Amino acid sequence: MAVYQEKNKKKWTKDGRSWYFRVPYIDLTGKRKQHWSCFYLTKKEAQEGERQFLASVKDKTDNTNMRFKDLYSAFYEHQKEIVKDTTYQTYLDRVPFLEYLDNIKLVDFNINHYNMWKKKINSKPIATSYKNDILKFLKAILNFGAKWYNFNFTSVYNKMDNFTDPNEVSKEMDFYTYDEFKTFISYEADLKYICLYETLYYCGLRNGEMRGLTWEYVDFDKKEIYIKRQIPTRYSSKNWKFTSPKTKKSERRIPLCNVLYEHLKKLYDEVSQYKNFNKKWFVFGDAEVPIVADNPSYRQEAICKKIGLKKIRIHDFRHSCASLLINSGANVTIVAKYLGHTKVEETLNTYSHMFESALTSVVDVINNIDKKQTSNSNEVIDAITNLCNSGISINDILNQLKVLQTA
């Protein structure tokens, strides 16, 4: 059992992975075999991979001595084959939050162990929502143990309630209004960055989707961009690779508004004159190299500091797009499709406060309906409900109510 580094650099992966392990093991049929691993970025990662592999091939006929660390090591090895690299890395990032359970035998795992673990996690200076993400991850591991190793965690699982903090102040979602964005963009002189910020703001792209956009996915004839892949921000501009978008629904076509279309067309006309240009070049990178993930944020910060405008995160440009759509009267179905959300519920959960704000204008109109019409308030409410259920926009609802108000 040992860890090695591939000597032939031509065999290294594009992102520089070169370490691997080779170990003999006995499979479930009793045959002795040799396992060659995939490449890892560092020696330490290869050693961890070796440990996880050995844990996964332990004799599964007797699990009485199996500890929690063995279970999540087996879980990681299993997940490695079925999830994206970025998702797998997220799993690895959560290892420190599981270490309090490492040496507990799974046959002994009980509610007292869980409460001990929960108390430890509760002491961490992290958001309640993230604590619940970790809890969800723990439950996934327990489900894996029940399915593959026949453990029964039901008595504990049903008592694993969520983290709550009544004193936690909810963080308000930050975004630019249309006027704030127009002020910001008016101080950007570089055409490439004008296009970048406008694409984030008007199209609601995630940062990784913006980084992965190449000219072959900009359709000037149809005036749309096609989100087909991304380059996650955890990948540097030297060691990068394309991955599929966050979800299946994230693969989408987004129409270009006139101002963005004109700017992108101008940028394309400029870069297409360069020697060796081809449409596989990155829209916001340097030819065949994607843009450095932090560069847009640094540049934005400099502009905001210069003009005294609030600084928002690059991801908040996406929230700004949602706000723009909602306050322009777009219904929730359209917003969900535009942003690439898997379910409409995700859009409602994320931006419910924005829809509530927009709906106050509906309430104002209702309040102005004269007494004769308000005496039939149930009919008005029923009409509004039917309109909402049909997916009609808030602006259309307002227009119909105004007709009713003046009738």
Side-chain angles (χ1 to χ4, degrees):
M1 294 182 290
V3 170
Y4 308 89
Q5 185 176 37
E6 175 57 53
K7 295 180 180 180
N8 185 352
K9 291 188 176 182
K10 292 183 179 180
K11 294 183 178 181
W12 292 13
T13 63
K14 180 182 288 189
D15 60 351
R17 297 173 185 268
S18 60
W19 290 91
Y20 67 96
F21 64 86
R22 185 176 73 240
V23 294
Y25 71 100
I26 298 175
D27 68 12
L28 295 177
T29 66
K31 293 182 179 180
R32 188 174 182 82
K33 293 186 176 181
Q34 187 96 233
H35 177 76
W36 293 69
S37 76
C38 59
F39 283 147
Y40 294 84
L41 193 59
T42 65
K43 182 178 181 180
K44 185 177 181 180
E45 288 181 1
Q47 290 172 333
E48 175 63 15
E50 179 187 43
R51 186 186 66 76
Q52 292 179 14
F53 174 77
L54 291 174
S56 71
V57 296
K58 281 185 177 181
D59 184 1
K60 296 180 176 59
T61 59
D62 182 9
N63 298 316
T64 55
N65 291 318
M66 192 173 186
R67 299 178 184 275
F68 195 85
K69 190 173 184 178
D70 300 323
L71 178 60
Y72 72 69
S73 295
F75 173 81
Y76 284 161
E77 189 66 27
H78 178 264
Q79 292 296 107
K80 185 186 296 183
E81 306 300 325
I82 59 178
V83 300
K84 293 190 292 188
D85 291 346
T86 49
T87 303
Y88 183 71
Q89 186 58 51
T90 299
Y91 291 166
L92 293 179
D93 291 342
R94 291 174 179 171
V95 168
F97 298 108
L98 302 176
E99 61 184 11
Y100 307 110
L101 300 172
D102 276 1
N103 297 317
I104 296 173
K105 287 186 177 182
L106 293 168
V107 292
D108 298 330
F109 183 65
N110 58 50
I111 193 63
N112 293 324
H113 294 130
Y114 168 71
N115 287 333
M116 175 275 295
W117 175 82
K118 187 175 182 181
K119 186 175 181 180
K120 293 284 188 182
I121 301 303
N122 233 346
S123 67
K124 301 288 184 182
I126 54 179
T128 301
S129 58
Y130 187 52
K131 291 176 183 177
N132 283 318
D133 286 341
I134 298 169
L135 173 58
K136 184 177 179 181
F137 182 62
L138 172 60
K139 287 183 174 181
I141 293 174
L142 294 179
N143 286 333
F144 174 80
K147 179 178 179 179
W148 292 97
Y149 296 92
N150 297 318
F151 287 108
N152 186 352
F153 300 117
T154 304
S155 62
V156 182
Y157 195 97
N158 292 336
K159 298 175 183 176
M160 295 170 67
D161 50 344
N162 286 345
F163 291 89
T164 58
D165 183 358
N167 297 316
E168 184 177 51
V169 178
S170 299
K171 183 179 178 180
E172 291 187 8
M173 186 176 293
D174 218 352
F175 59 90
Y176 280 152
T177 63
Y178 181 73
D179 289 340
E180 287 173 331
F181 176 73
K182 295 301 286 186
T183 299
F184 164 75
I185 205 67
S186 68
Y187 284 87
E188 177 55 74
D190 189 307
L191 180 60
K192 180 185 291 186
Y193 277 96
I194 289 174
C195 291
L196 184 151
Y197 294 124
E198 287 182 341
T199 301
L200 292 172
Y201 187 81
Y202 292 124
C203 298
L205 267 59
R206 299 179 178 91
N207 204 353
E209 294 171 345
M210 175 272 293
R211 294 184 76 205
L213 184 63
T214 53
W215 286 112
E216 61 188 312
Y217 292 112
V218 179
D219 191 330
F220 289 111
D221 292 332
K222 294 182 178 180
K223 294 184 66 172
E224 65 182 17
I225 57 176
Y226 182 22
I227 306 304
K228 178 74 174 177
R229 55 195 181 181
Q230 65 170 342
I231 299 177
T233 53
R234 76 165 63 244
Y235 293 136
S236 71
S237 290
K238 292 182 179 179
N239 299 315
W240 62 271
K241 69 176 181 177
F242 289 116
T243 70
S244 58
K246 185 176 180 180
T247 65
K248 290 183 179 179
K249 288 288 186 179
S250 295
E251 186 175 315
R252 62 202 188 279
R253 295 182 183 274
I254 304 175
L256 298 173
C257 62
N258 290 336
V259 64
L260 176 54
Y261 171 83
E262 295 296 336
H263 286 154
L264 279 175
K265 188 66 170 65
K266 184 177 179 181
L267 180 62
Y268 176 79
D269 290 341
E270 289 183 6
V271 299
S272 61
Q273 300 302 313
Y274 295 160
K275 185 179 180 181
N276 299 324
F277 169 81
N278 68 74
K279 289 193 173 184
K280 294 188 182 298
W281 281 17
F282 289 100
V283 176
F284 304 118
D286 183 12
E288 297 179 345
V289 179
I291 191 170
V292 176
D294 292 331
N295 279 2
S297 181
Y298 292 147
R299 192 175 182 94
Q300 177 212 2
E301 184 175 18
I303 293 175
C304 290
K305 186 175 181 181
K306 177 182 178 181
I307 65 177
L309 183 67
K310 68 180 180 182
K311 168 75 167 61
I312 65 174
R313 300 174 306 161
I314 291 299
H315 188 74
D316 289 328
F317 279 80
R318 178 172 165 83
H319 297 326
S320 301
C321 177
S323 173
L324 182 67
L325 292 171
I326 293 167
N327 288 303
S328 296
N331 66 63
V332 64
T333 305
I334 295 298
V335 178
K337 185 175 182 180
Y338 208 85
L339 297 178
H341 285 164
T342 302
K343 297 179 179 179
V344 170
E345 289 79 7
E346 181 182 357
T347 310
L348 285 172
N349 289 336
T350 306
Y351 301 111
S352 59
H353 60 291
M354 292 185 182
F355 281 101
E356 289 170 1
S357 177
L359 282 170
T360 57
S361 55
V362 176
V363 174
D364 291 338
V365 173
I366 295 174
N367 289 335
N368 290 327
I369 297 176
D370 62 38
K371 293 181 180 180
K372 179 180 178 180
Q373 288 156 339
T374 53
S375 65
N376 298 320
S377 57
N378 288 336
E379 294 179 10
V380 175
I381 293 173
D382 289 342
I384 293 173
T385 301
N386 291 333
L387 290 171
C388 290
N389 289 337
S390 68
I392 196 170
S393 72
I394 291 173
N395 281 346
D396 288 338
I397 294 175
L398 283 170
N399 290 333
Q400 295 200 30
L401 286 173
K402 287 176 182 177
V403 171
L404 198 135
Q405 182 180 7
T406 57

PDB file of all heavy atoms in Angstrom, residues 26-37:
ATOM      1  N   ILE A  26      -9.045  -7.741  -1.068  1.00  0.00           N
ATOM      2  CA  ILE A  26      -9.812  -8.958  -1.318  1.00  0.00           C
ATOM      3  C   ILE A  26     -11.265  -8.565  -1.534  1.00  0.00           C
ATOM      4  O   ILE A  26     -11.869  -7.895  -0.699  1.00  0.00           O
ATOM      5  CB  ILE A  26      -9.696  -9.933  -0.132  1.00  0.00           C
ATOM      6  CG1 ILE A  26      -8.223 -10.355   0.056  1.00  0.00           C
ATOM      7  CG2 ILE A  26     -10.574 -11.152  -0.354  1.00  0.00           C
ATOM      8  CD1 ILE A  26      -7.994 -11.220   1.278  1.00  0.00           C
ATOM      9  N   ASP A  27     -11.830  -8.942  -2.701  1.00  0.00           N
ATOM     10  CA  ASP A  27     -13.196  -8.545  -3.003  1.00  0.00           C
ATOM     11  C   ASP A  27     -14.198  -9.464  -2.318  1.00  0.00           C
ATOM     12  O   ASP A  27     -13.825 -10.382  -1.567  1.00  0.00           O
ATOM     13  CB  ASP A  27     -13.430  -8.492  -4.516  1.00  0.00           C
ATOM     14  CG  ASP A  27     -13.391  -9.873  -5.169  1.00  0.00           C
ATOM     15  OD1 ASP A  27     -13.407 -10.887  -4.447  1.00  0.00           O
ATOM     16  OD2 ASP A  27     -13.352  -9.924  -6.412  1.00  0.00           O
ATOM     17  N   LEU A  28     -15.477  -9.240  -2.592  1.00  0.00           N
ATOM     18  CA  LEU A  28     -16.527 -10.000  -1.907  1.00  0.00           C
ATOM     19  C   LEU A  28     -16.541 -11.476  -2.276  1.00  0.00           C
ATOM     20  O   LEU A  28     -17.125 -12.299  -1.568  1.00  0.00           O
ATOM     21  CB  LEU A  28     -17.899  -9.379  -2.214  1.00  0.00           C
ATOM     22  CG  LEU A  28     -18.118  -7.958  -1.664  1.00  0.00           C
ATOM     23  CD1 LEU A  28     -19.475  -7.428  -2.091  1.00  0.00           C
ATOM     24  CD2 LEU A  28     -17.992  -7.948  -0.151  1.00  0.00           C
ATOM     25  N   THR A  29     -15.907 -11.837  -3.388  1.00  0.00           N
ATOM     26  CA  THR A  29     -15.850 -13.252  -3.786  1.00  0.00           C
ATOM     27  C   THR A  29     -14.631 -13.954  -3.203  1.00  0.00           C
ATOM     28  O   THR A  29     -14.431 -15.145  -3.429  1.00  0.00           O
ATOM     29  CB  THR A  29     -15.799 -13.369  -5.326  1.00  0.00           C
ATOM     30  OG1 THR A  29     -14.557 -12.815  -5.799  1.00  0.00           O
ATOM     31  CG2 THR A  29     -16.966 -12.642  -5.960  1.00  0.00           C
ATOM     32  N   GLY A  30     -13.792 -13.191  -2.464  1.00  0.00           N
ATOM     33  CA  GLY A  30     -12.603 -13.772  -1.863  1.00  0.00           C
ATOM     34  C   GLY A  30     -11.370 -13.698  -2.744  1.00  0.00           C
ATOM     35  O   GLY A  30     -10.307 -14.178  -2.374  1.00  0.00           O
ATOM     36  N   LYS A  31     -11.496 -13.085  -3.922  1.00  0.00           N
ATOM     37  CA  LYS A  31     -10.362 -12.983  -4.831  1.00  0.00           C
ATOM     38  C   LYS A  31      -9.481 -11.799  -4.453  1.00  0.00           C
ATOM     39  O   LYS A  31      -9.963 -10.746  -4.061  1.00  0.00           O
ATOM     40  CB  LYS A  31     -10.851 -12.824  -6.271  1.00  0.00           C
ATOM     41  CG  LYS A  31     -11.557 -14.047  -6.824  1.00  0.00           C
ATOM     42  CD  LYS A  31     -11.959 -13.826  -8.274  1.00  0.00           C
ATOM     43  CE  LYS A  31     -12.634 -15.058  -8.844  1.00  0.00           C
ATOM     44  NZ  LYS A  31     -13.042 -14.854 -10.273  1.00  0.00           N
ATOM     45  N   ARG A  32      -8.166 -12.026  -4.606  1.00  0.00           N
ATOM     46  CA  ARG A  32      -7.217 -10.962  -4.320  1.00  0.00           C
ATOM     47  C   ARG A  32      -7.051 -10.102  -5.579  1.00  0.00           C
ATOM     48  O   ARG A  32      -6.778 -10.605  -6.659  1.00  0.00           O
ATOM     49  CB  ARG A  32      -5.869 -11.554  -3.892  1.00  0.00           C
ATOM     50  CG  ARG A  32      -4.876 -10.518  -3.386  1.00  0.00           C
ATOM     51  CD  ARG A  32      -3.616 -11.197  -2.838  1.00  0.00           C
ATOM     52  NE  ARG A  32      -2.675 -10.232  -2.306  1.00  0.00           N
ATOM     53  CZ  ARG A  32      -2.742  -9.693  -1.098  1.00  0.00           C
ATOM     54  NH1 ARG A  32      -3.737 -10.027  -0.296  1.00  0.00           N
ATOM     55  NH2 ARG A  32      -1.841  -8.829  -0.673  1.00  0.00           N
ATOM     56  N   LYS A  33      -7.223  -8.784  -5.416  1.00  0.00           N
ATOM     57  CA  LYS A  33      -7.137  -7.876  -6.552  1.00  0.00           C
ATOM     58  C   LYS A  33      -6.251  -6.686  -6.226  1.00  0.00           C
ATOM     59  O   LYS A  33      -5.879  -6.455  -5.082  1.00  0.00           O
ATOM     60  CB  LYS A  33      -8.539  -7.394  -6.951  1.00  0.00           C
ATOM     61  CG  LYS A  33      -9.446  -8.481  -7.509  1.00  0.00           C
ATOM     62  CD  LYS A  33     -10.756  -7.900  -8.008  1.00  0.00           C
ATOM     63  CE  LYS A  33     -11.616  -8.968  -8.664  1.00  0.00           C
ATOM     64  NZ  LYS A  33     -12.893  -8.405  -9.176  1.00  0.00           N
ATOM     65  N   GLN A  34      -5.947  -5.937  -7.282  1.00  0.00           N
ATOM     66  CA  GLN A  34      -5.142  -4.721  -7.139  1.00  0.00           C
ATOM     67  C   GLN A  34      -5.987  -3.534  -7.590  1.00  0.00           C
ATOM     68  O   GLN A  34      -6.622  -3.581  -8.650  1.00  0.00           O
ATOM     69  CB  GLN A  34      -3.897  -4.815  -8.019  1.00  0.00           C
ATOM     70  CG  GLN A  34      -2.910  -3.677  -7.818  1.00  0.00           C
ATOM     71  CD  GLN A  34      -1.796  -4.034  -6.859  1.00  0.00           C
ATOM     72  OE1 GLN A  34      -1.560  -3.311  -5.913  1.00  0.00           O
ATOM     73  NE2 GLN A  34      -1.113  -5.141  -7.075  1.00  0.00           N
ATOM     74  N   HIS A  35      -6.028  -2.476  -6.805  1.00  0.00           N
ATOM     75  CA  HIS A  35      -6.816  -1.287  -7.157  1.00  0.00           C
ATOM     76  C   HIS A  35      -5.896  -0.110  -7.451  1.00  0.00           C
ATOM     77  O   HIS A  35      -5.047   0.257  -6.645  1.00  0.00           O
ATOM     78  CB  HIS A  35      -7.761  -0.902  -6.015  1.00  0.00           C
ATOM     79  CG  HIS A  35      -8.540   0.355  -6.287  1.00  0.00           C
ATOM     80  ND1 HIS A  35      -9.620   0.395  -7.142  1.00  0.00           N
ATOM     81  CD2 HIS A  35      -8.375   1.629  -5.816  1.00  0.00           C
ATOM     82  CE1 HIS A  35     -10.100   1.623  -7.182  1.00  0.00           C
ATOM     83  NE2 HIS A  35      -9.359   2.403  -6.393  1.00  0.00           N
ATOM     84  N   TRP A  36      -6.079   0.469  -8.667  1.00  0.00           N
ATOM     85  CA  TRP A  36      -5.374   1.687  -9.046  1.00  0.00           C
ATOM     86  C   TRP A  36      -6.377   2.829  -8.965  1.00  0.00           C
ATOM     87  O   TRP A  36      -7.441   2.781  -9.575  1.00  0.00           O
ATOM     88  CB  TRP A  36      -4.824   1.589 -10.467  1.00  0.00           C
ATOM     89  CG  TRP A  36      -3.727   0.583 -10.634  1.00  0.00           C
ATOM     90  CD1 TRP A  36      -3.827  -0.765 -10.568  1.00  0.00           C
ATOM     91  CD2 TRP A  36      -2.354   0.872 -10.914  1.00  0.00           C
ATOM     92  NE1 TRP A  36      -2.614  -1.359 -10.787  1.00  0.00           N
ATOM     93  CE2 TRP A  36      -1.683  -0.370 -11.003  1.00  0.00           C
ATOM     94  CE3 TRP A  36      -1.627   2.048 -11.106  1.00  0.00           C
ATOM     95  CZ2 TRP A  36      -0.325  -0.469 -11.260  1.00  0.00           C
ATOM     96  CZ3 TRP A  36      -0.275   1.959 -11.368  1.00  0.00           C
ATOM     97  CH2 TRP A  36       0.373   0.713 -11.436  1.00  0.00           C
ATOM     98  N   SER A  37      -6.038   3.845  -8.234  1.00  0.00           N
ATOM     99  CA  SER A  37      -6.981   4.948  -8.037  1.00  0.00           C
ATOM    100  C   SER A  37      -6.923   5.942  -9.191  1.00  0.00           C
ATOM    101  O   SER A  37      -6.048   5.875 -10.065  1.00  0.00           O
ATOM    102  CB  SER A  37      -6.660   5.694  -6.736  1.00  0.00           C
ATOM    103  OG  SER A  37      -5.520   6.517  -6.900  1.00  0.00           O
TER     104      SER A  37
END
